[in-house]
Amino acid sequence: MKVPQTLINSLQNIQGFNESTFIKAHENEVSPTSIRINPFKNSDFFIDEAPVIWSNYGKYLSSRSDFSLNPLYHAGTFFVQEASSMYLEQILKNTVDLSQDLKVLDLCAAPGGTSTLIASLLTPDSLLISNDVIQTRSNHLSDNLTKWGTMNAIVTNNDPKDFMRLFGFFDVLVIDAPSSSSGLFRKDPNILKEWSVANVSTWALKQKKIISDAWSSLKQGGILIYSTSSYSKEENEDIVDWIETTFNAEHLTAKNTDLLGGAIISEGSYRLFPDQVKGEGFFITAFKKKSSEKEVFIRSGKPIKNNNRRTEREIFRNWIEDIDTHTWFEKNGDYFLINPTHEHAINLIQFNFNLRKVGTKIGKLSNKDLIPDHELAMSIFLSQKTNKVELSPEEANKYLRREEFVLEEVIKGWSLMTFKDFGLGWAKILPNRINNYYPKELRISSKEA
């Protein structure tokens, strides 16, 4: 792979850039494969793999496999993520008090690498809003956060400018900005075909607009974390200068650490080059907001009440662990489990934004029976009393392909299909057949199988 000479020329004055080793990494080295383990569904499947030293949950794989054929992937026990981008974990830990209950906006969140990483670090009473402007990508984002199993996430499908309505609402604003993506040349050579100096300038303008649109949603003293998968100074250091000048923001100067080996600090920000670390090209930096915005006031109010509340609670008690500590609401026949501390924030957001996911969808009620939703099957709040059927690898893949299979000596009724004790989805066991409720849109295709 030959890196454009114009790009190489533009990097000559960047601290830590080494032309010969940079070119060698792109021409002769294979991109490493890495995953990040879900701490809420901790499996020992990757216990012997080498760690990503800047992530508590990151692992390098000795060989790449077809993740679509691994039931543990569909159970949400891990996320496939590029190792360098996991450095977000260190930035969060060094700039934010993660022991506090926070409101976090992940503005350009699909497919979910940043959001699932953030969700792994937040307190249960924190609120994460994950957004993507493209509907199909926001649907994929919802699916990945559903697999993660937590309840304190909302997925929205909105333009960044829509968040101007939430003045001073967020403690943390994460913008992993769309970019020219030159840092991913090794992973996707097609990016190289589309790269040009003109495109870099176009992306830099888009990045400025995204930041401008969302800036007012960050509270005074709040933290902006900005990152790209680009090498270009125009999308990185120049954006840093523009943020400082335009918003009078305090640039939180990066400190050298031993975690990166030959840690690269460029004008107070982190730059990761593939010849310097075991990962791809990545840039990340952080700011503190000094000026104040009018904050959105969320009243405490009274909890949700209706005449059927007690009956619903008793039905849900059989399905949800510690139901008395949670609350829920109904919309169009669907029931959603949420943290009571998020109730009024959710009320505010649902009237102003396009929602793709809120809390955990429990399912629908039919008389006094629950028809459970797939989100409940993936939830870490599912009752341990739920009937489970452990599947073999062959059975699990048939289930995920929605193919017919036979189970011997199983209890009739709703059952959670599991693999290595991790939930995959629902099936209803009838006297003469098994009704597979794994979502059609998620099934493994015969081509993948």
Side-chain angles (χ1 to χ4, degrees):
M1 175 187 299
K2 186 173 178 60
V3 179
Q5 189 61 46
T6 50
L7 176 59
I8 292 174
N9 292 342
S10 71
L11 297 175
Q12 293 297 335
N13 295 322
I14 297 293
Q15 183 177 344
F17 176 71
N18 184 311
E19 181 176 345
S20 62
T21 57
F22 179 82
I23 292 173
K24 180 180 178 182
H26 284 83
E27 291 182 347
N28 303 319
E29 297 179 14
V30 177
S31 177
T33 300
S34 52
I35 58 97
R36 185 170 35 77
I37 293 167
N38 184 345
F40 308 111
K41 300 181 179 181
N42 201 343
S43 164
D44 60 1
F45 188 75
F46 299 107
I47 194 169
D48 295 326
E49 302 286 2
V52 176
I53 58 174
W54 49 83
S55 170
N56 280 353
Y57 310 115
K59 292 279 189 177
Y60 293 107
L61 304 190
S62 52
S63 62
R64 184 178 180 89
S65 60
D66 188 344
F67 297 113
S68 70
L69 299 182
N70 186 340
L72 290 175
Y73 170 74
H74 299 281
T77 66
F78 66 94
F79 191 93
V80 183
Q81 185 178 14
E82 199 284 305
S84 292
S85 65
M86 297 182 201
Y87 204 74
L88 170 62
E89 178 178 331
Q90 293 301 318
I91 303 300
L92 283 166
K93 288 178 176 178
N94 289 329
T95 59
V96 180
D97 184 355
L98 294 170
S99 69
Q100 299 298 306
D101 298 332
L102 304 169
K103 293 192 289 293
V104 180
L105 172 60
D106 186 4
L107 188 61
C108 309
T114 53
S115 286
T116 53
L117 186 154
I118 294 166
S120 300
L121 301 174
L122 296 179
T123 64
D125 287 341
S126 292
L127 179 64
L128 170 64
I129 297 182
S130 300
N131 178 75
D132 201 274
V133 68
I134 300 173
Q135 182 174 331
T136 53
R137 287 173 58 85
S138 68
N139 291 339
H140 192 195
L141 172 63
S142 296
D143 292 338
N144 283 324
L145 277 168
T146 290
K147 289 178 185 176
W148 219 242
T150 57
M151 186 170 51
N152 57 346
I154 297 173
V155 175
T156 56
N157 169 217
N158 284 76
D159 190 282
K161 69 177 183 295
D162 294 337
F163 289 91
M164 292 180 181
R165 306 167 190 162
L166 298 179
F167 294 108
F169 186 80
F170 295 103
D171 300 286
V172 183
L173 170 58
V174 177
I175 302 179
D176 185 29
S179 69
S180 63
S181 300
S182 50
L184 301 178
F185 280 164
R186 294 196 307 179
K187 289 183 71 69
D188 185 358
N190 289 322
I191 296 172
L192 181 59
K193 299 175 184 177
E194 300 177 3
W195 189 91
S196 69
V197 173
N199 281 345
V200 167
S201 298
T202 298
W203 281 115
L205 290 174
K206 291 179 180 179
Q207 289 151 4
K208 290 177 181 179
K209 186 176 189 310
I210 290 170
I211 297 165
S212 295
D213 286 346
W215 181 256
S216 63
S217 69
L218 188 63
K219 67 167 52 175
Q220 183 178 8
I223 301 298
L224 164 67
I225 298 175
Y226 173 81
S227 62
T228 75
S229 295
S230 169
Y231 292 124
S232 296
K233 183 174 182 290
E234 193 172 350
E235 298 176 82
N236 296 321
E237 287 86 354
D238 288 356
I239 295 291
V240 170
D241 293 340
W242 175 82
I243 292 173
E244 287 186 286
T245 302
T246 304
F247 302 108
N248 190 30
E250 178 187 350
H251 187 207
L252 301 179
T253 303
K255 294 181 174 62
N256 205 343
T257 73
D258 295 331
L259 288 173
L260 294 177
I264 299 167
I265 310 298
S266 177
E267 298 180 21
S269 302
Y270 289 95
R271 261 189 180 271
L272 283 67
F273 287 113
D275 55 314
Q276 303 281 344
V277 300
K278 192 175 180 181
E280 300 308 306
F282 191 62
F283 178 92
I284 190 165
T285 194
F287 301 85
K288 179 180 286 189
K289 184 172 185 177
K290 294 193 289 186
S291 60
S292 62
E293 300 280 354
K294 177 183 177 183
E295 295 186 14
V296 172
F297 175 70
I298 302 178
R299 62 184 180 84
S300 58
K302 295 181 180 180
I304 299 169
K305 286 188 177 180
N306 62 52
N307 294 334
N308 297 321
R309 196 77 176 167
R310 184 175 299 176
T311 300
E312 293 166 359
R313 184 181 300 277
E314 292 313 306
I315 295 172
F316 297 155
R317 192 179 301 281
N318 298 319
W319 297 85
I320 299 165
E321 203 73 30
D322 300 324
I323 185 61
D324 295 324
T325 65
H326 309 308
T327 192
W328 61 91
F329 68 93
E330 179 268 337
K331 186 173 183 178
N332 300 327
D334 289 313
Y335 287 81
F336 298 84
L337 187 72
I338 61 173
N339 185 321
T341 62
H342 300 154
E343 182 177 329
H344 299 287
I346 289 171
N347 286 337
L348 170 69
I349 291 164
Q350 70 175 336
F351 290 113
N352 290 282
F353 294 87
N354 302 319
L355 300 189
R356 292 287 172 262
K357 173 179 168 60
V358 180
T360 297
K361 187 187 290 187
I362 303 171
K364 297 178 181 292
L365 291 180
S366 177
N367 295 321
K368 292 187 178 181
D369 294 324
L370 177 70
I371 302 173
D373 190 84
H374 181 67
E375 289 193 18
L376 183 60
M378 306 304 291
S379 173
I380 60 175
F381 300 96
L382 182 65
S383 173
Q384 294 301 308
K385 298 176 183 178
T386 304
N387 187 48
K388 299 178 181 179
V389 177
E390 178 68 12
L391 303 179
S392 67
E394 181 181 4
E395 291 168 339
N397 278 288
K398 284 186 175 182
Y399 172 77
L400 293 167
R401 294 196 297 267
R402 290 177 58 91
E403 294 179 355
E404 292 186 4
F405 61 100
V406 177
L407 295 173
E408 303 293 341
E409 299 181 359
V410 290
I411 299 173
K412 302 299 184 287
W414 287 105
S415 291
L416 179 70
M417 301 292 103
T418 66
F419 181 74
K420 296 188 181 297
D421 205 34
F422 294 104
L424 298 174
W426 297 111
K428 193 167 188 180
I429 315 297
L430 301 175
N432 57 353
R433 71 178 190 277
I434 300 170
N435 284 352
N436 189 334
Y437 279 80
Y438 191 72
K440 292 180 181 179
E441 65 274 15
L442 298 179
R443 66 182 173 184
I444 303 174
S445 69
S446 56
K447 183 178 180 181
E448 291 174 311

